[in-house]
Amino acid sequence: MKQNKQNNMNVNQALRRLKIMLSKQYNFAEATLVDGTQVYSEGEFVPGVILFVRAGEGVSEDPLAPSGMHETTEGIILTVGENGEITEVSTKEEEASDEAEIEVEMEEVAVEVPVAEEIMPVTEDLLNGIAELIAPFTEEIAALNEEVIALKKRFETMAAEPAAAKIKNTFANVLADKNTATANRLEALSKMRKSK
C-alpha cells in the first residue's frame, strides 16, 4: 500500500513538472527554515500544496519536504504530511498553546521518507512518456491559438468599419415626387377638359 502512495505521488510530480515544461506560469512561494534549509511550493503555502526542499546545483530534481512540522524564519509553521503535502499552515503564536500536544504527536509518528533515487527514474520515464503523448496536442493548440488571434484581428477590423453609408431620408424627396405626380395628373386632366 505504501508503494502505491509513492507511485501516485510520482504521477502527481510528473504532471506538475509537465506543466512547468509546457510553460505554464506559477507563483512560487519560497521560505527559509530556521535551520537554514530553503523550501518552496508552487503557489502559496496553503493546505494541499506540495512543499519541496531546494537541493541546490547538480541535482536534477528537488526532493519533497519530509513529514513533520517545519518553522520558517518568518515564524510560519508548515505541517507536512505524506508525500510532501502541506496539511496545515499556522504561525508560531498559534502553535505555542498546543506545543505539549504536538510534541506527543511527533513522538508517536514514524516517518518514512522515500529515497529520491528510487523515485527519480520512474518520474523521468513517466514525464517523458506523457510529454510525448501531449506533444501533438500542444502543436494543435498552438495552431488554434494563432487562428483565434487572426480571427480576432479580422473581427476588430470589421467592427471598426461602418456597415454602410449613412442614409438621410427626411421623406422630402418622396413628398416632392408625389406632389409633382399629382400636379402632372391635374394638369393633364385640365388640358383634356379644355380640348373638348
Side-chain angles (χ1 to χ4, degrees), residues 14-81:
L15 291 175
R16 196 171 298 106
R17 291 201 176 272
L18 184 61
K19 286 178 185 177
I20 293 170
M21 285 177 52
L22 295 174
S23 302
K24 300 287 182 187
Q25 293 183 347
Y26 287 98
N27 296 325
F28 288 90
E30 295 181 316
T32 303
L33 301 180
V34 290
D35 64 352
T37 305
Q38 292 189 350
V39 294
Y40 69 94
S41 69
E42 296 174 1
E44 297 180 20
F45 292 133
V46 292
V49 173
I50 306 299
L51 186 67
F52 295 92
V53 176
R54 196 166 307 283
E57 295 180 14
V59 178
S60 64
E61 182 178 342
D62 292 335
L64 300 172
S67 298
M69 296 178 64
H70 305 284
E71 183 179 347
T72 67
T73 55
E74 295 86 14
I76 298 172
I77 298 177
L78 303 170
T79 305
V80 178

Side-chain angles (χ1 to χ4, degrees), residues 8 14 25 31 46 57 61 65-66 75 82 85 101 110 112 117-118 132 134 140 146 162 165 174 178 188 190 195:
N8 287 342
Q25 293 183 347
V46 292
E57 295 180 14
E61 182 178 342
E82 291 185 18
E85 183 176 352
E101 185 179 312
E112 268 190 51
E117 294 170 358
E118 295 173 3
E132 288 175 14
I134 293 178
E140 186 175 328
E146 289 175 13
V174 173
K178 192 175 186 180
S190 75
S195 63

Side-chain angles (χ1 to χ4, degrees), residues 43-156:
E44 297 180 20
F45 292 133
V46 292
V49 173
I50 306 299
L51 186 67
F52 295 92
V53 176
R54 196 166 307 283
E57 295 180 14
V59 178
S60 64
E61 182 178 342
D62 292 335
L64 300 172
S67 298
M69 296 178 64
H70 305 284
E71 183 179 347
T72 67
T73 55
E74 295 86 14
I76 298 172
I77 298 177
L78 303 170
T79 305
V80 178
E82 291 185 18
N83 298 323
E85 183 176 352
I86 297 174
T87 57
E88 184 180 353
V89 178
S90 58
T91 61
K92 193 172 185 178
E93 292 118 15
E94 293 171 354
E95 293 297 320
S97 63
D98 298 330
E99 191 171 313
E101 185 179 312
I102 292 171
E103 286 180 17
V104 171
E105 288 179 25
M106 291 293 286
E107 291 174 6
E108 294 174 5
V109 175
V111 177
E112 268 190 51
V113 178
V115 180
E117 294 170 358
E118 295 173 3
I119 296 172
M120 209 176 299
V122 174
T123 301
E124 293 299 321
D125 292 340
L126 185 60
L127 180 61
N128 290 335
I130 292 173
E132 288 175 14
L133 289 172
I134 293 178
F137 298 111
T138 56
E139 292 168 4
E140 186 175 328
I141 290 171
L144 289 172
N145 193 21
E146 289 175 13
E147 186 176 332
V148 167
I149 290 170
L151 287 173
K152 280 184 181 179
K153 286 180 182 177
R154 225 173 121 197
F155 176 77
E156 289 170 359

Side-chain angles (χ1 to χ4, degrees), residues 171-190:
F171 296 102
N173 295 339
V174 173
L175 184 59
D177 290 343
K178 192 175 186 180
N179 288 339
T180 305
T182 304
N184 289 339
R185 284 185 195 147
L186 288 175
E187 192 177 320
L189 283 173
S190 75

